[in-house]
Each structure stands twice: as C-alpha cells, then as structure tokens.
Amino acid sequence: MIPLVIIAGPTASGKTALSVELAKRLDGEIVSADSMQIYKYMDIGTAKPTAAERRGIPHHMMDIILPTEDFSVADYSSMAHKVIADIHSRGKLPIMVGGTGLYIDTVADNIVLGEAVGDEKIRAQLEEFAETNGNAALHKLLEEIDPESYENLHENDIKRVIRAIEIYRVTGKTIGEHNRRSRTAPKIYKTVKLAVAWDRNVLYERINRRVDEMIESGLEKEVRACLELGVTEKNTSMQAIGYKEMLGFIKGVCTLEEAVDKIKMESRRYAKRQLSWFKRGNIYWLAPRDDIADRAQAVIRGEL
C-alpha cells in the first residue's frame, strides 16, 4: 500500500507549518485537502500558503479551477488519487494537509462515490427557502436530518447543503450513509493521521489574529478582484468564509467592522464543527510544543 501522511484539524491550527517541516525532513510533497484552496485568485481569504511558507516544497491540488467553476467531492477524489500515485512513483512521501474532512475521508478510505439520485423540484424549493429565510435557516434543516454533514459543511456552502438535504429527502439516507455503502474498493493507502491539539480558547485567539492579518493583507481588494473576473455571490467560491462577509461590506450591507466580526465568528463556528468531525477519527493529537515536529516524525516512522 502507498504510505500517506495526513495533517488534519481545524482552521488556524498550524497545519501548514507542521506539514512543510515534515515534508522537508521526510522528502515529501504536499496535497491540499481544502475545499476553497482549489480556486485560483483566492489566496488571502483561503489562507493559502505563500511561496515563503512553502519553503520550496511542491504543493498540489491548489489553484486548479477558476472561482466561477463548480467542483465536487468526486472531482477532488479522482484528481487527488492521481496526484498521490505520482508523488509515490517518484519516491516521495505524499502528505495530505487540510481541514475539509469529507475530502480527506473520501480519499484516505478510497470511497467510490456513486451518483445519488436527485430531484430538481426539491432542489428549487430549497433554493427558494434559502433566499427567503437565509443560509442559517437552511443549514438548520440539515442539522435535523444529517448531523454529520451539518458539522462538515458551513452554512455558506449553500450548494452542498442543498445537495445533502435533497439526497436525504429523495432517498431517506444521508450522504454519509450513501458513501459508507460505497466503501467497496480495497484500501490503497497505509495512513497515519496527525492534528495539533490547541486549547479551544487559544485556537479561537489564533483564528481572530489570522482574520486581522487577512484584512491587513488586502482581503477586500482580493474580493473586488474576483468580482471583476465575473465571480458572483451565487458561485460556491464566493460563499467561502471571509468572501461572503466582505462582499456584504462591499455592497453596503454592513460596515467593515461588522464584516470582520462576522468573519471571526463564522471561522470560530467552523473550527468547532471541524473539531467535532476529526475527533471521531483515528488521529494522533499532538500538543503544540516546540518539539512537535520531532514527535510527529516519531509517530510517522512508527506507523508507516
């Protein structure tokens, strides 16, 4: 089986720094597992690592589609499998890094995604419900029928939220149930999963600081540039945390201060759901000490 190291966990937990250091030590290359870093031209709001932060380590599955394009979990899985195989074929260690649990689980467990049936009438009703009652109310519907998807999907990710509700209403089963029934393919990876275990309050402070840095780095300018490229609020990319709120400021719906506060709040809420998702998995949680890379390396060598 192909060895695969996975650095998972919530936003702002230090995944990038740890993964790059491990890639340096273990001759690895990084495969992004972030549902928003796939978009070109969206760097600041998605916390895409800079060239300096990458330290010469190749990063894959970033900047692969335009922000006006759609991209499914199945699309990600297909591309990621090919990337991982290529990295391994060159004698390098593939290291998957990100906070999108559905991406990580689908690839790591080699889930073969079947085409779940849909219903355009139900989809249209849900779209109308969201327009009338708001994304939060739609997201609440998902919590009642599919808590697993609720934890993994942000309320702004409206297309995937609608899809999850639609599948349940048509089939009586959640997306997770459909996926688990599809786990018929043999395992192809020998995995070890790592995450950084921050105190919740400290993690929230890190998130708040990151948002402030995004604003200082020009998030507003980045959102305006996306709008000039033809991206609209209906595109999935513009539903990402940071972009949706900044769009509200640009349209005059709220002040800059209100937008920043909303970004911080939504980022903390998302981190809480990410923690719930990853705590169900078989993950080595590492305390954020100075020797974290040493301890992570020891775990990897003991498992692979």
Side-chain angles (χ1 to χ4, degrees):
M1 289 193 290
I2 297 175
L4 177 64
V5 173
I6 298 171
I7 312 295
T11 184
S13 59
K15 297 184 294 293
T16 294
L18 177 58
S19 63
V20 169
E21 177 61 27
L22 290 174
K24 282 286 187 183
R25 295 185 183 196
L26 302 173
D27 195 21
E29 295 186 9
I30 290 172
V31 182
S32 172
D34 186 297
S35 62
M36 291 301 162
Q37 290 184 353
I38 59 174
Y39 296 110
K40 297 177 181 179
Y41 315 121
M42 297 176 65
D43 302 333
I44 297 171
T46 64
K48 205 174 290 176
T50 64
E53 289 171 331
R54 298 183 195 192
R55 295 167 57 191
I57 298 297
H59 282 60
H60 306 273
M61 299 302 291
M62 289 182 181
D63 299 317
I64 56 177
I65 65 170
L66 295 172
T68 51
E69 296 178 296
D70 290 329
F71 195 76
S72 69
V73 177
D75 292 330
Y76 176 83
S77 178
S78 176
M79 293 180 67
H81 281 308
K82 293 175 183 177
V83 167
I84 292 169
D86 175 66
I87 294 171
H88 178 66
S89 72
R90 292 184 280 103
K92 305 287 186 178
L93 177 66
I95 303 175
M96 178 173 281
V97 183
T100 304
L102 193 57
Y103 277 14
I104 292 172
D105 291 351
T106 301
V107 172
D109 295 334
N110 195 24
I111 298 172
V112 179
L113 296 172
E115 276 297 318
V117 296
D119 187 307
E120 292 186 3
K121 183 177 180 180
I122 291 176
R123 193 179 313 145
Q125 290 172 345
L126 292 170
E127 290 172 350
E128 183 178 352
F129 180 89
E131 290 181 5
T132 303
N133 300 282
N135 293 0
L138 180 75
H139 199 227
K140 186 68 176 177
L141 294 179
L142 182 62
E143 181 184 22
E144 296 169 0
I145 60 174
D146 186 356
E148 184 179 19
S149 294
Y150 170 82
E151 289 177 358
N152 192 53
L153 297 174
H154 188 271
E155 66 183 45
N156 291 350
D157 198 352
I158 189 168
K159 285 189 177 180
R160 292 192 179 99
V161 171
I162 287 175
R163 182 62 175 152
I165 298 172
E166 175 191 356
I167 287 175
Y168 181 83
R169 289 188 175 179
V170 172
T171 68
K173 294 182 175 62
T174 67
I175 285 181
E177 289 173 322
H178 281 285
N179 291 346
R180 282 186 283 275
R181 291 177 62 193
S182 301
R183 293 187 193 212
T184 56
K187 296 282 188 179
I188 57 177
Y189 304 120
K190 182 175 177 58
T191 62
V192 54
K193 297 181 182 180
L194 306 170
V196 185
W198 291 96
D199 172 81
R200 185 71 62 93
N201 290 330
V202 175
L203 177 63
Y204 287 172
E205 290 173 4
R206 289 172 60 88
I207 289 172
N208 290 341
R209 286 199 301 271
R210 170 178 282 184
V211 173
D212 288 335
E213 291 168 1
M214 287 177 176
I215 300 302
E216 293 170 4
S217 298
L219 179 59
E220 178 189 346
K221 183 178 179 180
E222 183 170 270
V223 175
R224 290 184 183 276
C226 286
L227 295 176
E228 291 175 2
L229 289 171
V231 186
T232 73
E233 58 186 333
K234 292 186 177 180
N235 291 121
T236 300
S237 59
M238 199 53 65
Q239 297 295 322
I241 300 174
Y243 294 87
K244 181 178 179 65
E245 293 79 13
M246 189 56 66
L247 182 59
F249 163 66
I250 291 171
K251 294 172 64 177
V253 176
C254 63
T255 66
L256 179 59
E257 182 179 3
E258 289 170 339
V260 172
D261 287 343
K262 185 72 179 298
I263 295 170
K264 291 178 178 178
M265 181 186 72
E266 294 296 340
S267 297
R268 294 192 300 267
R269 289 175 59 192
Y270 181 49
K272 184 177 179 180
R273 289 196 298 276
Q274 287 176 303
L275 285 168
S276 296
W277 178 280
F278 290 120
K279 283 184 177 179
R280 293 198 303 264
N282 183 24
I283 294 183
Y284 290 88
W285 290 88
L286 303 167
R289 303 198 308 260
D290 291 340
D291 65 343
I292 187 171
D294 294 333
R295 288 179 287 122
Q297 185 175 347
V299 170
I300 292 168
R301 285 179 170 168
E303 291 291 322
L304 294 182

